[in-house]
Amino acid sequence: MSTDNRPAVDARPRASLAVAMLGFFVVALDAQIVNVALPAIRNDLGGGLSGLQWVVTGYTLMFYALQLFAGTSPKSR
């Protein structure tokens, strides 16, 4: 009697790569959208260059934190 305890190998590495590339593209696109909106943010809210840097940093940190939270799954009982 033989049991095979080897881990399963992904048979579609190209599909995994495509999904990872799509995820990176979405994150990069999201960061670019914030950069495009900076002139409107400056006109509406005022502030200088350092304020706009805080807007980009705050948005990016919050986006990445929510990405990590969305990737977790609840424990099954």
Side-chain angles (χ1 to χ4, degrees), residues 7-74:
V9 177
D10 188 15
R12 293 177 273 177
R14 288 185 188 252
S16 299
L17 180 62
V19 169
M21 289 174 60
L22 178 65
F24 178 76
F25 174 75
V26 170
V27 170
L29 180 66
D30 193 59
Q32 289 300 319
I33 290 171
V34 174
N35 286 326
V36 169
L38 284 177
I41 292 171
R42 184 185 63 223
N43 291 338
D44 291 345
L45 300 177
L49 184 61
S50 64
L52 293 176
Q53 288 174 338
W54 276 106
V55 167
V56 171
T57 303
Y59 182 81
T60 305
L61 285 174
M62 186 56 65
F63 181 75
Y64 289 144
L66 291 174
Q67 285 279 323
L68 288 172
F69 179 69
T72 60
S73 63

